[in-house]
């Protein structure tokens, strides 16, 4: 794995939702996912944060396979639910 990246996904797949997505996020940068509703933007984020389990592929955090212990570094996924109230999952 490349030391220049803080986060990488390799061929990340969630059956019927996400197909072989690879992302490389360099250290000290900010990335965003853009696309229309239903394009699959939140699915990789939910997998990265441990809210969903991928069907195949891997998530690499700071050069190592991601584990729930990596959440000590912090994560936040917000999803709109009933009445458009934002609920923090983590």
């Amino acid at each position: 794995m490349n030391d220049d990246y803080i986060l990488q996904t390799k061929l990340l797949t969630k059956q019927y939702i996400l197909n072989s997505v690879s992302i490389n996020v360099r250290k000290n940068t900010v990335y965003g996912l853009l696309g229309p509703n239903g394009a699959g933007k939140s699915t990789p984020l939910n997998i990265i944060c441990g809210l969903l389990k991928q069907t195949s592929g891997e998530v690499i955090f700071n050069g190592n396979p991601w584990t729930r212990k990596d959440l000590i570094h912090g994560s936040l996924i917000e999803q709109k639910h009933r009445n458009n109230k934002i609920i923090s999952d983590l």
Side-chain angles (χ1 to χ4, degrees):
M1 298 300 136
N2 189 323
D3 287 339
D4 293 337
Y5 299 112
I6 189 68
L7 178 69
Q8 296 177 282
T9 67
K10 303 290 184 184
L11 303 173
L12 203 57
T13 299
K14 179 69 176 170
Q15 191 172 15
Y16 307 118
I17 301 172
L18 198 64
N19 188 18
S20 301
V21 174
S22 295
I23 301 170
N24 296 303
V25 179
R26 292 188 184 277
K27 292 180 180 180
N28 301 312
T29 61
V30 176
Y31 277 60
L33 300 177
L34 302 174
N37 289 345
K41 301 174 299 292
S42 54
T43 302
L45 297 176
N46 286 326
I47 292 170
I48 290 166
C49 291
L51 300 174
L52 283 177
K53 176 77 173 135
Q54 70 266 31
T55 305
S56 63
E58 61 182 324
V59 177
I60 308 297
F61 179 74
N62 209 19
N64 299 300
W66 183 94
T67 67
R68 292 209 49 94
K69 292 179 184 177
D70 292 317
L71 292 177
I72 195 168
H73 298 284
S75 67
L76 175 66
I77 291 289
E78 294 180 343
Q79 297 179 341
K80 288 188 178 182
H81 289 278
R82 294 182 199 139
N83 302 324
N84 287 328
K85 292 181 180 177
I86 294 178
I87 300 171
S88 294
D89 291 325
L90 294 177

